[in-house]
Amino acid sequence: MRYRVGETVRVEFYKYPEEALHYWWEAEVVEVRPEGVLTRMPVGSLFHHEARGRVYRLDHTAYVAFFPGRWYSGGPDLDAMGRVLEYYWNVQTPPNLEAGRIWQYDLDLDVRCRADHACRVWDRAEFEARKPHYPAVWAAQAEAAIPAVLAHVRTGRWPVRPPEAPRPWMPR
């Protein structure tokens, strides 16, 4: 699927096996490369967390890159001066890139990295609890995604920026 810079896409994450919409947002396509598509949510964007029954208004700019065939997506959250607050990487099934829409299944695990590229894995207990419900290949790919994300950050691959001074973890 080809996206155009400036196009708005709806991004959806589902939970499996419930087939339930977990959360979604609308984002602007800001860059298209052979390795993926980069989207942006500016300050004031709405993040609809269906599982929590809440809508959050972003107080920062968030970039999320989606990579065809990869079991993760993510990118930097930036402050008003364009400095990295942190990187958020979501472990998921490979994205389905459709006209006006990007969707995938959330596989619980998250990797958050500070601006200096120091990373932590989050939600491992949630993943372990849900793991028996996933197809075996999904569980294996989710676990393999963790070192893939760490290597992505360590080597500074797009859209990772050069290391900066670390900031406190963002509330999520």
Side-chain angles (χ1 to χ4, degrees):
M1 170 52 48
R2 297 298 302 174
Y3 295 100
R4 294 179 326 278
V5 171
E7 176 182 357
T8 299
V9 294
R10 180 176 159 124
V11 177
E12 301 171 344
F13 282 79
Y14 289 83
K15 280 297 189 181
Y16 183 89
E18 302 92 333
E19 301 289 334
L21 182 59
H22 187 50
Y23 51 81
W24 66 276
W25 67 85
E26 290 187 345
E28 176 189 7
V29 173
V30 293
E31 193 172 350
V32 179
R33 295 182 174 202
E35 62 263 44
V37 57
L38 183 64
T39 64
R40 177 176 72 94
M41 297 169 52
V43 172
S45 295
L46 300 179
F47 179 90
H48 302 261
H49 202 304
E50 299 295 330
R52 294 181 185 164
R54 303 230 13 224
V55 177
Y56 301 92
R57 185 174 300 279
L58 267 63
D59 62 358
H60 61 279
T61 299
Y63 288 86
V64 181
F66 296 92
F67 310 99
R70 290 200 204 152
W71 290 76
Y72 63 89
S73 63
D77 292 313
L78 306 179
D79 69 11
M81 301 300 292
R83 294 180 305 237
V84 174
L85 296 165
E86 81 180 29
Y87 294 88
Y88 188 88
W89 301 93
N90 196 10
V91 174
Q92 65 190 43
T93 59
N96 294 286
L97 305 170
E98 299 177 352
R101 180 178 178 227
I102 300 171
W103 69 273
Q104 52 271 301
Y105 289 99
D106 180 83
L107 297 176
D108 309 307
L109 293 168
D110 301 303
V111 179
R112 292 169 58 187
C113 303
R114 294 182 190 256
D116 65 354
H117 298 179
C119 300
R120 284 181 50 190
V121 177
W122 299 73
D123 300 329
R124 193 173 291 281
E126 181 182 351
F127 171 73
E128 291 299 329
R130 295 180 59 82
K131 184 176 169 180
H133 304 287
Y134 294 140
V137 68
W138 288 17
Q141 290 289 349
E143 291 171 341
I146 298 299
V149 168
L150 297 175
H152 192 119
V153 174
R154 184 178 59 254
T155 59
R157 290 180 22 214
W158 176 79
V160 176
R161 296 170 173 215
E164 301 176 20
R167 314 279 285 277
W169 293 112
M170 295 176 64
R172 299 256 182 202

